mmCIF file of all heavy atoms in Angstrom:
data_model
loop_
_atom_site.group_PDB
_atom_site.id
_atom_site.type_symbol
_atom_site.label_atom_id
_atom_site.label_comp_id
_atom_site.label_asym_id
_atom_site.label_seq_id
_atom_site.Cartn_x
_atom_site.Cartn_y
_atom_site.Cartn_z
ATOM 1 N N HIS A 61 89.602 186.315 -112.768
ATOM 2 C CA HIS A 61 89.757 185.413 -113.913
ATOM 3 C C HIS A 61 88.545 184.502 -114.015
ATOM 4 O O HIS A 61 87.718 184.439 -113.101
ATOM 5 C CB HIS A 61 91.049 184.604 -113.811
ATOM 6 C CG HIS A 61 91.056 183.547 -112.744
ATOM 7 N ND1 HIS A 61 91.037 183.831 -111.399
ATOM 8 C CD2 HIS A 61 91.067 182.188 -112.832
ATOM 9 C CE1 HIS A 61 91.058 182.712 -110.714
ATOM 10 N NE2 HIS A 61 91.070 181.697 -111.547
ATOM 11 N N HIS A 63 87.207 181.229 -113.812
ATOM 12 C CA HIS A 63 87.068 179.855 -113.328
ATOM 13 C C HIS A 63 85.830 179.871 -112.445
ATOM 14 O O HIS A 63 85.547 180.888 -111.792
ATOM 15 C CB HIS A 63 88.282 179.415 -112.496
ATOM 16 C CG HIS A 63 89.305 178.643 -113.268
ATOM 17 N ND1 HIS A 63 90.634 178.661 -112.946
ATOM 18 C CD2 HIS A 63 89.179 177.803 -114.347
ATOM 19 C CE1 HIS A 63 91.299 177.883 -113.792
ATOM 20 N NE2 HIS A 63 90.434 177.355 -114.649
ATOM 21 N N ASP A 65 85.054 178.870 -109.565
ATOM 22 C CA ASP A 65 85.154 179.282 -108.158
ATOM 23 C C ASP A 65 85.378 180.794 -108.025
ATOM 24 O O ASP A 65 85.416 181.316 -106.902
ATOM 25 C CB ASP A 65 86.240 178.481 -107.411
ATOM 26 C CG ASP A 65 87.609 178.548 -108.061
ATOM 27 O OD1 ASP A 65 87.696 178.550 -109.302
ATOM 28 O OD2 ASP A 65 88.612 178.602 -107.318
ATOM 29 N N HIS A 66 85.467 181.488 -109.168
ATOM 30 C CA HIS A 66 85.644 182.948 -109.148
ATOM 31 C C HIS A 66 84.521 183.704 -109.864
ATOM 32 O O HIS A 66 84.335 184.893 -109.623
ATOM 33 C CB HIS A 66 87.016 183.317 -109.720
ATOM 34 C CG HIS A 66 88.140 182.677 -108.952
ATOM 35 N ND1 HIS A 66 88.793 183.292 -107.918
ATOM 36 C CD2 HIS A 66 88.659 181.415 -109.023
ATOM 37 C CE1 HIS A 66 89.681 182.470 -107.387
ATOM 38 N NE2 HIS A 66 89.622 181.313 -108.046
ATOM 39 N N HIS A 145 98.621 181.908 -114.694
ATOM 40 C CA HIS A 145 97.818 180.887 -114.010
ATOM 41 C C HIS A 145 97.670 179.672 -114.937
ATOM 42 O O HIS A 145 98.365 178.680 -114.775
ATOM 43 C CB HIS A 145 96.465 181.503 -113.621
ATOM 44 C CG HIS A 145 95.492 180.598 -112.964
ATOM 45 N ND1 HIS A 145 95.864 179.564 -112.127
ATOM 46 C CD2 HIS A 145 94.121 180.544 -113.011
ATOM 47 C CE1 HIS A 145 94.778 178.946 -111.685
ATOM 48 N NE2 HIS A 145 93.719 179.505 -112.229
ATOM 49 N N ILE A 146 96.789 179.775 -115.924
ATOM 50 C CA ILE A 146 96.540 178.687 -116.866
ATOM 51 C C ILE A 146 96.997 179.167 -118.250
ATOM 52 O O ILE A 146 96.626 180.287 -118.643
ATOM 53 C CB ILE A 146 95.025 178.376 -116.923
ATOM 54 C CG1 ILE A 146 94.480 178.026 -115.542
ATOM 55 C CG2 ILE A 146 94.707 177.329 -117.972
ATOM 56 C CD1 ILE A 146 94.590 176.597 -115.116
ATOM 57 N N ASP A 165 94.502 183.426 -108.584
ATOM 58 C CA ASP A 165 95.163 182.130 -108.694
ATOM 59 C C ASP A 165 96.403 182.367 -109.560
ATOM 60 O O ASP A 165 96.301 182.930 -110.650
ATOM 61 C CB ASP A 165 94.252 181.127 -109.404
ATOM 62 C CG ASP A 165 92.981 180.845 -108.619
ATOM 63 O OD1 ASP A 165 92.869 181.305 -107.473
ATOM 64 O OD2 ASP A 165 92.106 180.143 -109.174
ATOM 65 N N HIS A 198 99.061 176.715 -109.633
ATOM 66 C CA HIS A 198 99.000 177.514 -108.401
ATOM 67 C C HIS A 198 100.393 177.623 -107.782
ATOM 68 O O HIS A 198 101.329 176.942 -108.206
ATOM 69 C CB HIS A 198 98.070 176.847 -107.371
ATOM 70 C CG HIS A 198 96.619 176.988 -107.707
ATOM 71 N ND1 HIS A 198 95.937 178.160 -107.554
ATOM 72 C CD2 HIS A 198 95.728 176.089 -108.189
ATOM 73 C CE1 HIS A 198 94.679 178.003 -107.930
ATOM 74 N NE2 HIS A 198 94.525 176.742 -108.327
ATOM 75 N N HIS A 219 92.903 180.387 -100.367
ATOM 76 C CA HIS A 219 92.678 179.463 -101.498
ATOM 77 C C HIS A 219 93.352 178.114 -101.225
ATOM 78 O O HIS A 219 94.195 177.647 -101.990
ATOM 79 C CB HIS A 219 93.209 180.096 -102.796
ATOM 80 C CG HIS A 219 92.590 179.535 -104.053
ATOM 81 N ND1 HIS A 219 92.839 178.262 -104.503
ATOM 82 C CD2 HIS A 219 91.735 180.077 -104.961
ATOM 83 C CE1 HIS A 219 92.174 178.042 -105.638
ATOM 84 N NE2 HIS A 219 91.485 179.137 -105.931
HETATM 85 ZN ZN1 ZN B 3 91.742 179.633 -111.286
#
Side-chain angles (χ1 to χ4, degrees):
H61 71 292
H63 263 151
D65 55 323
H66 301 267
H145 178 33
I146 303 274
D165 296 352
H198 286 286
H219 202 290

